[in-house]
Amino acid sequence: MKKPNALTLKLDGTSPSKLPMAKLVKYMAALTDFYGSVEAVHFDSVSEGSADLNAWVDNDISYNAVITKATLAAQNNGSSYQRLTNLLEQDGFVGKLLDRNDTVIISFPTIKKDMPLYVTKVAEIQGRLYSVGGKDDSIPVRIEGPNGETFKCEATPELASSLGSHLFKNIRVKGESNWEKREGKWELKKMKIASFTLLKKTSLRDAISSIKQAPGDQWSEEEDADSLLKTMRVINCE
């Protein structure tokens, strides 16, 4: 039975059985700040209806003070309101604050995050090989990318044996790879290496000169060959 002077934060997108205690504690702490009147506000329960965080207030005077504080915080985008909004955004929940008559008095804004995009394709990456090891049929391989990132790859035991002799050298690997695009950026999640090439140490100028001298090459016609070569450090999914 609902208690007098009740307040309910309705969390659409979850349920009592799916809401971890660690998250519940964060919401309760944020609500304590949002409601104010710490001595007069009491936690009641978490009930069904998505996940309803129920509280109640000692008396009408304190209840009206809590409603006023919460409403002003929402109108002025106060810190306690932002704290709750940030939690809802992080968890992907839709939040509404209901009064004792189950009337919605505050609807929290919903910010939809970009859904990740996944692509599987044959691609090439290059970087510094720094780890080859494991005992299963798929041997973990780690390559350091041009910006210090780690490319997670795997190889057959036979291919891993060959790769192991080139530790701490720059290589280019090719294979079927899984990519994720999130917030406009592609990230390699995993590559199954099918082949690799050991990269020779050479200056950028010598590399450009070698490419320009190759038969049937069109690089000599490019106005900005230096920039084009730099962009070839790693192939992405764009």
Side-chain angles (χ1 to χ4, degrees):
M1 182 177 177
K2 199 167 186 178
K3 293 189 177 181
N5 296 327
L7 288 169
T8 299
L9 176 65
K10 179 178 286 291
L11 302 178
D12 290 331
T14 186
S15 66
S17 61
K18 294 180 180 178
L19 186 66
M21 188 167 66
K23 279 187 181 180
L24 174 61
V25 169
K26 289 182 180 180
Y27 279 100
M28 295 304 298
L31 280 173
T32 299
D33 187 24
F34 189 57
Y35 290 154
S37 301
V38 177
E39 298 299 324
V41 181
H42 308 273
F43 174 68
D44 182 14
S45 63
V46 181
S47 60
E48 295 287 349
S50 296
D52 293 351
L53 310 190
N54 303 303
W56 58 279
V57 187
D58 280 338
N59 52 65
D60 286 345
I61 294 176
S62 296
Y63 178 79
N64 291 330
V66 170
I67 295 292
T68 299
K69 179 183 183 303
T71 302
L72 287 175
Q75 291 174 347
N76 299 322
N77 200 29
S79 59
S80 61
Y81 174 76
Q82 290 181 23
R83 183 180 178 185
L84 265 174
T85 300
N86 289 338
L87 283 174
L88 292 166
E89 180 185 350
Q90 290 169 14
D91 295 329
F93 299 157
V94 176
K96 296 177 182 178
L97 185 64
L98 281 59
D99 66 9
R100 58 192 171 191
N101 300 314
D102 287 333
T103 301
V104 176
I105 55 176
I106 297 175
S107 292
F108 293 87
T110 57
I111 303 175
K112 293 184 178 179
K113 295 183 177 181
D114 291 336
M115 295 297 292
L117 176 65
Y118 300 97
V119 171
T120 298
K121 61 175 290 184
V122 175
E124 292 182 352
I125 59 170
Q126 65 185 51
R128 176 175 171 268
L129 176 67
Y130 71 86
S131 177
V132 179
K135 58 183 180 180
D136 297 325
D137 290 337
S138 295
I139 307 299
V141 176
R142 298 294 181 262
I143 297 172
E144 181 183 12
N147 299 312
E149 68 272 44
T150 294
F151 295 135
K152 296 181 180 180
C153 307
E154 61 182 43
T156 62
E158 293 77 16
L159 193 55
S161 178
S162 298
L163 284 165
S165 62
H166 300 298
L167 276 174
F168 310 115
K169 295 180 181 178
N170 291 322
I171 62 172
R172 179 184 294 115
V173 297
K174 181 177 181 179
E176 186 175 277
S177 54
N178 300 322
W179 299 80
E180 177 185 281
K181 187 177 185 181
R182 189 183 292 272
E183 298 180 355
K185 295 182 179 180
W186 284 103
E187 178 184 354
L188 176 66
K189 305 306 291 184
K190 186 175 69 172
M191 172 182 282
K192 187 173 183 179
I193 300 174
S195 62
F196 74 94
T197 303
L198 183 64
L199 300 179
K200 295 180 180 179
K201 278 193 174 182
T202 183
S203 68
L204 184 60
R205 185 177 300 278
D206 289 342
I208 294 173
S209 177
S210 176
I211 292 173
K212 286 181 177 180
Q213 293 173 13
D217 174 59
Q218 300 297 320
W219 279 67
S220 58
E221 300 175 6
E222 296 287 351
E223 295 181 359
D224 192 10
D226 288 2
S227 296
L228 288 174
L229 186 61
K230 289 177 182 177
T231 65
M232 292 176 63
R233 298 181 73 184
V234 60
I235 293 178
N236 59 32
C237 289
E238 299 289 3

